Amino acid sequence: VGSLDWWLDSNTLVIGSRNGKAMIVKIWTEEKEDEESQHEVDRSTAKVSSTILHTIDRESAWVNATKFSPGGRAVAVGDSKGVLGVYSYEENGTTIKISNIANFKLEDSILDIEWSPDGQWLYAGGEDFVVTVINTPTWEAIHRIKRDRWVQFIAASNGGSHVAIG
């Protein structure tokens, strides 16, 4: 596993893997009610199940970074070949619709992705020593923040006015 991210307020998880795939998975608990109470659930005996809703194939590239957008309408996938793909995402029960809406080629492996809280900006960084800033309404890379080392972590402040890079 190279990356994990939960879709906001749901049981849907995107998993980036070292085998070149990003999988969107629905996870649920098959709860058995306690014999003594109709309302209690015994979590120690509950069975966790999952189903793969969709697989995004990145061929031989490791998927190092995955991130749902704040509203859950898109998912970004970054890989070891420096390709950042953005996909529109719609879920309806156990089926989803995925469409590729943007692709970016960075200089080297992508290690982290972050969305601004309002979804207007997407940040990607990695082994190229750069954070690429993408304007999501136009899907244009508008700025590159250079560093003296890899970009392993990116975090946008809740207010959206700051970005921390590590």
Side-chain angles (χ1 to χ4, degrees), residues 51-115:
T51 187
I52 298 171
L53 299 176
H54 190 80
T55 300
I56 300 168
D57 191 354
R58 298 309 284 261
E59 299 176 7
S60 62
W62 289 7
V63 178
N64 297 326
T66 54
K67 190 74 74 164
F68 280 108
S69 65
R73 293 189 191 116
V75 62
V77 177
D79 67 33
S80 61
K81 291 185 178 179
V83 176
L84 172 64
V86 183
Y87 303 84
S88 66
Y89 176 84
E90 292 180 44
E91 183 176 343
N92 183 7
T94 58
T95 62
I96 64 170
K97 181 180 177 184
I98 296 274
S99 300
N100 183 246
I101 54 177
N103 287 302
F104 300 90
K105 178 67 172 107
L106 281 62
E107 301 289 323
D108 208 335
S109 182
I110 297 171
L111 300 178
D112 200 14
I113 300 167
E114 180 69 284
W115 295 85

Side-chain angles (χ1 to χ4, degrees), residues 123-164:
Y123 309 96
E127 294 180 8
D128 62 355
F129 296 50
V130 172
V131 174
T132 301
V133 181
I134 299 163
N135 178 313
T136 62
T138 62
W139 294 113
E140 293 180 62
I142 61 160
H143 191 61
R144 292 171 43 91
I145 304 167
K146 295 185 180 189
R147 291 180 35 96
D148 62 350
R149 59 184 55 105
W150 287 359
V151 178
Q152 294 178 294
F153 307 102
I154 305 169
S157 65
N158 287 337
S161 59
H162 295 84
V163 177

Side-chain angles (χ1 to χ4, degrees), residues 3-73:
S3 180
L4 298 166
D5 191 45
W6 290 102
W7 187 24
L8 183 64
D9 298 330
S10 79
N11 292 327
T12 302
L13 180 67
V14 60
I15 304 169
S17 69
R18 303 292 191 202
N19 68 356
K21 297 183 183 343
M23 296 172 289
I24 298 174
V25 178
K26 176 71 93 179
I27 299 172
W28 68 93
T29 303
E30 295 177 14
E31 300 173 346
K32 292 195 300 189
E33 291 182 352
D34 188 293
E35 292 177 12
E36 296 176 16
S37 169
Q38 295 295 337
H39 303 291
E40 297 291 321
V41 174
D42 184 355
R43 300 269 181 215
S44 66
T45 61
K47 179 183 174 190
V48 176
S49 297
S50 65
T51 187
I52 298 171
L53 299 176
H54 190 80
T55 300
I56 300 168
D57 191 354
R58 298 309 284 261
E59 299 176 7
S60 62
W62 289 7
V63 178
N64 297 326
T66 54
K67 190 74 74 164
F68 280 108
S69 65
R73 293 189 191 116

